[in-house]
Amino acid sequence: MVNLELSEVEVRERRLKSIISYHGTGQDLCERSRNRQLTLTERSFGQCSDCSQGCGQTLTYVIRGAAVIDHAPIGCSSGAGAASLTVDVSARARGLPPQEVHVLSTNIQEKDTVYGGLEKLRATIYEAKRRFDPSAIFVLSSCAAGIVGDDIESVADELQEELGIPVVPVFCEGFKSRIWSSGFDAAFHGILTRIVKAPVKKQPDLVNVFNFEGSDTFGPLLGKLGLRANYVVPLADVETLEKLSEAACTTHICETLAMYPAAALEQEYGVPEVKSPPPFGVQWTDNWLREVARLTGREEIVEDLIQSEHERVNEELTQVREQLKGKRIYIFAGDSYAHSIANMLLDLGLDLVGITTLHHDQTTDGGTESLDSLGNLVASKGEIGNYSVCNKQPYQVFKLLKDARPDILIVRHMNMTITGAKLGIPTMNDGDVNISAGYDGLVRLGKRLLDALKTKKLFENISRHCESPYTTWWLEQADPFFFEKNTGGDSAADTDDGEL
Ligand code: SF4
């Protein structure tokens, strides 16, 4: 049950019983998750992490016409440069007008952690209004602001009234959650509580599509059912967000990103969530289309559409499958989307030698079983023999890949391509998730993999010039999960710690 009366949404480890460490099989993880048997445990050695504020930034920085204030030390805004580079390119690729990010930092310093940073925040909100004349201002909290207890909500309330635009506090302090995706929920909670309005006029042909800054692939697919894609929240403007409640239904590219706002829109405004896996892979696209059609009253035309789409892509799909058959592939990506990629790769006939996801939610918002993406994957494609959860620890992934020896690695974050490159494994970053959606997306993914396989020599060359940063001790360790503690696995790490 979503509670929009509260200032903050609970972090995932409490709300969804999420975990960041596991190794075993897909089926086992499904079964143990059903009873919430697994507890959030840590590694005794951590090399790196992301943070919730980063996920909050990923969504809010790229809302058209809004301004964002990182109430934080300046280093927390390091993502602003990358967002500036990508947002305009993404907007143009989507056929939208040019777009800029409008980000300011309060630059919290030592003195502010003693005397508080609220005066700085107030001044920065006025400055954002003066410079950008935004239609909304998001205030993102940080570790420093959270630790000293700056009451950003009171300042937001006060200035929202004075400035006459939504001033949205986003509680995404990095230290608060071990699951950085909690930052998505924090940003959505702010949007749901301060921006989304009750519907004025329902739009029966509008489908909310929660996504990142991806290509326009849902639009053409939904268009075949006479529907329009309402892409949110990146690249959307504040007015579009206000009307999320007017849509006929809500779908998303993965549960990890958007099951929270989808559940909230259904509960608060009766906008039903498409409760079948997203359209990645043939069967999942069939089922997704059927569910969208059911929710929008288009059952009569959907079966013909599915049949004609199958016929249209059949020849190309068969060719791609023949060329990819038997190639060994490893997936390293966020929770739900990793399952969607796996479903597509198995559809393409590849040999899936392992999956590592960045965290695992043991349940979904609303507890809907049909949204359990791992359950759906295991049900449709069978057991995943080599399955692990690891919050991006290169030292661990290095060993996992060495053991699995894939022909190709597919990742969802650019920085994770480096580990594959160091090992000489052709590595493909699946950055634009939308591009693989639908029947055409599956064919496109197959062709992109075939292109990536041609880079084998390049990656082998890179590997020859890379020195491993790890000690012989670690490289000779048999167990990649040596530092994993108390997960119920059979790791040797319960009693012994080593050094990298
Ligand atoms: S973990 Fe804390 S200090 Fe680090 S970037 Fe995130 S909010 Fe800033």
Side-chain angles (χ1 to χ4, degrees):
M1 173 100 180
V2 172
N3 189 349
L4 298 183
E5 297 299 313
L6 300 175
S7 306
E8 301 180 42
V9 51
E10 263 198 313
V11 294
R12 287 197 179 205
E13 44 269 63
R14 286 205 287 278
R15 202 174 88 245
L16 306 175
K17 308 294 174 223
S18 310
I19 56 166
I20 51 173
S21 188
Y22 167 84
H23 64 282
T25 70
Q27 179 81 47
D28 174 66
L29 182 56
C30 270
E31 279 163 17
R32 293 167 79 182
S33 298
R34 243 167 242 138
N35 307 322
R36 322 278 181 268
Q37 275 177 19
L38 298 161
T39 51
L40 181 75
T41 51
E42 253 303 0
R43 288 164 185 75
S44 56
F45 174 76
Q47 197 173 11
C48 62
S49 183
D50 276 357
C51 100
S52 302
Q53 199 200 49
C55 288
Q57 292 167 341
T58 297
L59 297 183
T60 57
Y61 275 7
V62 286
I63 294 173
R64 187 179 288 269
V68 181
I69 295 171
D70 291 330
H71 186 41
I74 192 71
C76 299
S77 303
S78 58
S84 309
L85 287 174
T86 59
V87 69
D88 194 39
V89 176
S90 305
R92 286 168 197 265
R94 192 90 69 73
L96 297 168
Q99 186 169 339
E100 290 178 343
V101 299
H102 298 151
V103 179
L104 297 177
S105 169
T106 53
N107 191 16
I108 290 179
Q109 297 190 331
E110 197 175 345
K111 202 170 95 186
D112 307 312
T113 64
V114 178
Y115 297 104
L118 291 183
E119 279 317 308
K120 259 186 160 176
L121 175 60
R122 217 173 252 114
T124 312
I125 293 174
Y126 285 128
E127 182 61 16
K129 172 74 176 152
R130 187 189 70 76
R131 276 198 211 181
F132 309 122
D133 191 21
S135 23
I137 296 175
F138 290 87
V139 178
L140 270 52
S141 190
S142 65
C143 292
I147 288 167
V148 301
D150 274 353
D151 184 1
I152 64 170
E153 191 176 16
S154 298
V155 174
D157 286 344
E158 181 193 321
L159 294 192
Q160 173 162 295
E161 207 175 316
E162 184 183 325
L163 301 178
I165 54 169
V167 179
V168 185
V170 177
F171 297 95
C172 53
E173 299 86 355
F175 69 84
K176 204 167 67 178
S177 174
R178 306 312 308 262
I179 320 294
W180 55 74
S181 304
S182 292
F184 292 141
D185 309 332
F188 283 129
H189 191 78
I191 290 167
L192 288 158
T193 51
R194 299 223 176 197
I195 293 186
V196 177
K197 294 181 176 165
V200 176
K201 188 168 178 270
K202 278 284 186 184
Q203 303 187 47
D205 63 342
L206 193 67
V207 177
N208 294 328
V209 180
F210 282 92
N211 77 131
F212 293 107
E213 297 166 45
S215 313
D216 177 19
T217 50
F218 283 80
L221 195 54
L222 289 168
K224 290 175 181 171
L225 286 174
L227 297 165
R228 290 178 294 137
N230 187 35
Y231 290 110
V232 284
V233 299
L235 312 184
D237 58 20
V238 173
E239 196 186 334
T240 301
L241 301 182
E242 285 173 357
K243 294 180 180 168
L244 281 168
S245 59
E246 296 185 356
C249 60
T250 296
T251 190
H252 38 65
I253 52 156
C254 80
E255 291 78 39
T256 299
L257 172 67
M259 63 180 152
Y260 181 70
L265 289 169
E266 179 166 310
Q267 180 189 297
E268 298 293 312
Y269 302 108
V271 180
E273 180 180 9
V274 177
K275 293 189 180 74
S276 83
F280 295 108
V282 174
Q283 195 197 351
W284 285 16
T285 302
D286 295 349
N287 293 343
W288 179 84
L289 281 170
R290 286 188 183 109
E291 184 63 2
V292 171
R294 188 182 69 77
L295 294 171
T296 56
R298 282 151 170 86
E299 289 111 313
E300 281 178 14
I301 55 171
V302 74
E303 293 304 329
D304 284 349
L305 171 64
I306 290 170
Q307 195 184 333
S308 65
E309 288 292 286
H310 282 207
E311 287 165 7
R312 185 175 63 78
V313 298
N314 188 40
E315 194 180 329
E316 263 192 306
L317 200 49
T318 307
Q319 283 170 8
V320 170
R321 280 177 174 147
E322 272 168 17
Q323 293 173 76
L324 285 171
K325 196 170 174 203
K327 295 285 180 210
R328 296 162 56 83
I329 190 155
Y330 199 102
I331 301 168
F332 190 19
D335 187 16
S336 283
Y337 190 59
H339 307 146
S340 293
I341 304 175
N343 190 56
M344 288 186 282
L345 299 177
L346 291 166
D347 259 9
L348 289 170
L350 286 126
D351 179 8
L352 183 59
V353 294
I355 301 181
T356 301
T357 65
L358 303 176
H359 81 279
H360 176 73
D361 299 320
Q362 291 192 76
T363 183
T364 58
D365 281 302
T368 313
E369 257 190 44
S370 57
L371 283 175
D372 166 10
S373 54
L374 179 57
N376 281 317
L377 176 65
V378 171
S380 57
K381 295 291 191 298
E383 178 64 298
I384 309 294
N386 180 14
Y387 192 104
S388 55
V389 179
C390 168
N391 60 345
K392 276 195 194 176
Q393 302 300 326
Y395 74 90
Q396 197 170 346
V397 178
F398 194 85
K399 284 185 84 67
L400 288 169
L401 290 174
K402 254 175 123 58
D403 288 351
R405 289 178 292 102
D407 296 311
I408 186 162
L409 168 68
I410 189 161
V411 301
R412 252 289 292 149
H413 295 82
M414 183 65 88
N415 56 3
M416 286 149 57
T417 56
I418 295 162
T419 303
K422 283 181 177 169
L423 286 163
I425 301 166
T427 303
M428 190 175 103
N429 178 39
D430 203 22
D432 176 357
V433 169
N434 298 18
I435 209 164
S436 302
Y439 307 105
D440 292 308
L442 185 63
V443 174
R444 211 175 288 125
L445 176 66
K447 289 181 175 173
R448 288 160 63 217
L449 287 168
L450 287 169
D451 284 345
L453 281 164
K454 291 177 193 154
T455 62
K456 190 168 169 49
K457 277 268 172 290
L458 170 71
F459 278 89
E460 283 173 355
N461 266 337
I462 293 171
S463 169
R464 263 198 293 277
H465 292 88
C466 287
E467 251 178 62
S468 161
Y470 305 113
T471 61
T472 311
W473 173 82
W474 176 242
L475 293 175
E476 287 175 358
Q477 272 296 325
D479 183 7
F481 303 96
F482 181 90
F483 292 102
E484 203 177 70
K485 294 271 193 189
N486 308 319
T487 59
D490 56 1
S491 167
D494 288 349
T495 53
D496 188 15
D497 284 356
E499 285 176 7
L500 289 183

